[in-house]
Amino acid sequence: ITAPLADGAVQQHSETASINAVPAPKLPMAPRPPLTSLSAAELPALLCSLGFERYAAGFKAAHICGADLAFADNADLLELGMSVTAHRKKLLKLVFAMNTLGVPCNPRPL
């Protein structure tokens, strides 16, 4: 886009500059449910959505709910069949985040 100046020169304007100058509207985010609110039927779906599908059946069989997971430690996860140390560490980090920020999805019972 060009615009004439008072002295007859032409100034170039970038089309993207004017687009980028307008901030995008912030859409309201739905509140995230707390981890402790998940039932034993919903927790396996959450595990699957987080990439832990191989452990979902063990959690389901043990009737573990969100409140149980919220306070689980390394030994608890090992007892539930999570034999891979890196998986336990990753899930514990995610549990910490979900205890603070809520569950990132709306799990439906499997």
Side-chain angles (χ1 to χ4, degrees):
I1 300 175
T2 59
L5 298 175
D7 62 0
V10 177
Q11 182 180 9
Q12 294 286 334
H13 293 282
S14 169
E15 289 182 31
T16 58
S18 62
I19 294 172
N20 292 335
V22 178
K26 291 188 178 185
L27 300 175
M29 291 185 64
R32 293 179 168 192
L35 178 59
T36 55
S37 72
L38 296 185
S39 69
E42 294 169 318
L43 192 64
L46 173 65
L47 292 173
C48 290
S49 72
L50 297 173
F52 295 107
E53 50 278 323
R54 70 190 278 187
Y55 304 112
F59 279 72
K60 188 174 185 176
H63 304 287
I64 302 299
C65 65
D68 298 325
L69 183 59
F71 299 102
D73 61 16
N74 189 58
D76 296 328
L77 298 180
L78 188 59
E79 189 177 320
L80 286 165
M82 292 190 80
S83 58
V84 180
T85 303
H87 293 177
R88 292 193 308 272
K89 287 182 177 182
K90 181 178 179 182
L91 183 56
L92 287 171
K93 286 179 185 178
L94 290 169
V95 166
F96 177 79
M98 288 185 287
N99 280 335
T100 305
L101 304 172
V103 178
C105 62
N106 190 7
R108 303 198 189 287
L110 296 178

